[in-house]
Amino acid sequence: MAERKQVAFVGLGAMGWGIAANLAAAAKDGKIASPVLVWNRTTSKSEQHEARYGTRCARALPDVSQADVIITCLPTSTEVADVARELAPAMKSGSLWIDCTSGDPDSTKYISRMLKEAGITMIDCPVSGGPDGAASGQLTAMVGGDTNDVAQSVINIFAKKKIVRCGIVGAGHAVKAMNNCLNAAHLIVAGEALLALKKWGVQPEVALQAINASSGRSLQTEVRIPTQVLTRRFDYGFKLGLMLKDVRIAVDGLAACQEDRRGNSILTAVKKMLEQSVTAQGYDVDYTCVLRTLELEAGCELQGSAVPTAK
Ligand code: NDP
């Protein structure tokens, strides 16, 4: 980057904390201006981030308005729109907004139009890789909208695994929503299969040894179920309510064109299972707890000692 850009980060949650830490490291290396500004609704978290990584805690949201690049990582597009409405009037024309929230494509198009009126370019940049990927900078980014060199160089800092340009503004959010639908579907279907096998007398860790060397394997059978479910940890770091939000975006929004077969849609069944789980267990539990709902229905648990067979 020829001129070092001032970057501000909004939302130090499970994902934002690590992404902002990587930005702070890049600022120390001179890739972007130092310090990186961080704002969080709960100020004590941004104070902790400042103390740990050398970022600068913005106590009030308007304190970040003069940054060249604003990055948001908030629960939903509703919070992004609220922050954008508050910040846009004071922002510099020509600045850039990178939204790492897993947002709603239509809302993103609306926010993008609103920002454009203030001369601000928005791109959607949802990420995949979880809190561990955020901490290591090894995220996959799904980008919607027109990227330029500044956007590319900033996204490179935290999405070292892969950056995919998906299309127009909102396209990144559309792909992310479907990705998470597949994630949840794979988890639920694998949980159903393992519960059926357990009732039939096969222990889950034994079944996984075979499945993970066979064609039924997935990230869920190879990593997520062994590390989070069989161990009874259930703390991957992604809230069940946020997963439901993504699946609703995919099923109610993107798959609406499949109106004629929604009754039979597998993704609709995934959404119903997540809705049932949020009702029973709450928004904030880990998304892997969706298998607790299946276990309660089945009357048995997927306990075991299996270790992950892939990363
Ligand atoms: P968290 O719940 O851990 O963090 C949410 C963040 O948003 C916190 O900083 C919180 O502030 C802030 N926030 C919540 N409500 C408001 C509000 N009304 N106004 C301002 N700030 C608010 O979420 P994650 O970090 O897990 O997720 C963030 C986004 O990333 C979501 O869209 C999620 O779907 C997506 N994502 C999550 C992944 C994961 O594995 N966790 C993986 C990939 C994408 P406060 O500290 O004050 O509560």
Side-chain angles (χ1 to χ4, degrees):
M1 205 181 297
E3 178 203 347
R4 287 185 211 161
K5 299 292 182 184
Q6 168 81 72
V7 177
F9 197 92
V10 171
L12 297 172
M15 294 302 286
W17 181 271
I19 297 173
N22 276 284
L23 292 166
K28 280 186 189 141
D29 291 345
K31 292 180 185 159
I32 51 178
S34 183
V36 170
L37 300 174
V38 289
W39 180 84
N40 194 65
R41 180 180 61 174
T42 306
T43 308
S44 57
K45 275 199 213 166
S46 31
E47 287 170 345
Q48 284 166 28
H49 206 275
E50 176 179 288
R52 184 154 171 197
Y53 299 108
T55 46
R56 179 175 295 159
C57 163
R59 275 160 218 292
L61 184 57
D63 293 348
V64 304
S65 62
Q66 289 304 297
D68 302 301
V69 182
I70 294 208
I71 308 179
T72 35
C73 191
L74 296 168
T76 74
S77 293
T78 304
E79 292 82 27
V80 178
D82 289 346
V83 168
R85 260 184 229 106
E86 188 172 340
L87 283 181
M91 283 176 68
K92 296 189 284 193
S93 181
S95 51
L96 176 67
W97 193 294
I98 300 176
D99 185 22
C100 290
T101 308
S102 299
D104 167 60
D106 290 335
S107 306
T108 300
K109 286 182 186 169
Y110 162 79
I111 299 166
S112 159
R113 282 196 297 273
M114 178 173 69
L115 290 171
K116 200 169 188 178
E117 283 170 18
I120 303 153
T121 302
M122 180 186 192
I123 57 174
D124 45 313
C125 180
V127 291
S128 178
D132 287 352
S136 64
Q138 294 291 330
L139 294 171
T140 295
M142 304 160 212
V143 179
D146 293 330
T147 51
N148 55 23
D149 288 349
V150 173
Q152 190 69 36
S153 60
V154 171
I155 297 168
N156 278 343
I157 293 167
F158 56 84
K160 295 191 191 84
K161 186 170 181 188
K162 196 166 185 71
I163 299 171
V164 181
R165 292 185 185 188
C166 298
I168 59 168
V169 166
H173 282 154
V175 174
K176 173 67 186 176
M178 277 303 176
N179 175 76
N180 277 17
C181 249
L182 294 173
N183 176 331
H186 293 160
L187 177 64
I188 291 167
V189 85
E192 269 190 27
L194 292 174
L195 282 165
L197 284 168
K198 181 156 184 182
K199 288 201 158 189
W200 205 72
V202 182
Q203 291 306 309
E205 62 267 40
V206 174
L208 285 174
Q209 280 178 39
I211 290 166
N212 287 338
S214 305
S215 49
R217 71 188 183 279
S218 66
L219 177 71
Q220 308 306 315
T221 62
E222 290 181 326
V223 180
R224 205 74 81 236
I225 291 175
T227 60
Q228 302 300 329
V229 182
L230 267 58
T231 58
R232 318 310 289 165
R233 274 199 216 133
F234 296 106
D235 71 349
Y236 171 74
F238 182 38
K239 292 174 181 164
L240 183 62
L242 290 175
M243 176 58 99
L244 173 58
K245 171 255 311 177
D246 294 334
V247 172
R248 278 187 173 144
I249 290 168
V251 176
D252 297 343
L254 304 173
C257 52
Q258 279 205 315
E259 194 65 55
D260 51 332
R261 66 172 305 272
R262 275 170 83 189
N264 295 324
S265 158
I266 289 165
L267 297 184
T268 301
V270 170
K271 186 185 80 159
K272 282 184 187 153
M273 178 53 63
L274 290 168
E275 284 171 342
Q276 193 184 328
S277 299
V278 169
T279 302
Q281 301 180 64
Y283 183 103
D284 287 333
V285 299
D286 197 72
Y287 91 101
T288 53
C289 288
V290 67
L291 291 200
R292 289 287 300 135
T293 306
L294 293 183
E295 289 177 339
L296 287 167
E297 278 179 2
C300 70
E301 288 187 351
L302 295 173
Q303 280 174 324
S305 56
V307 289
T309 51
K311 284 236 167 186

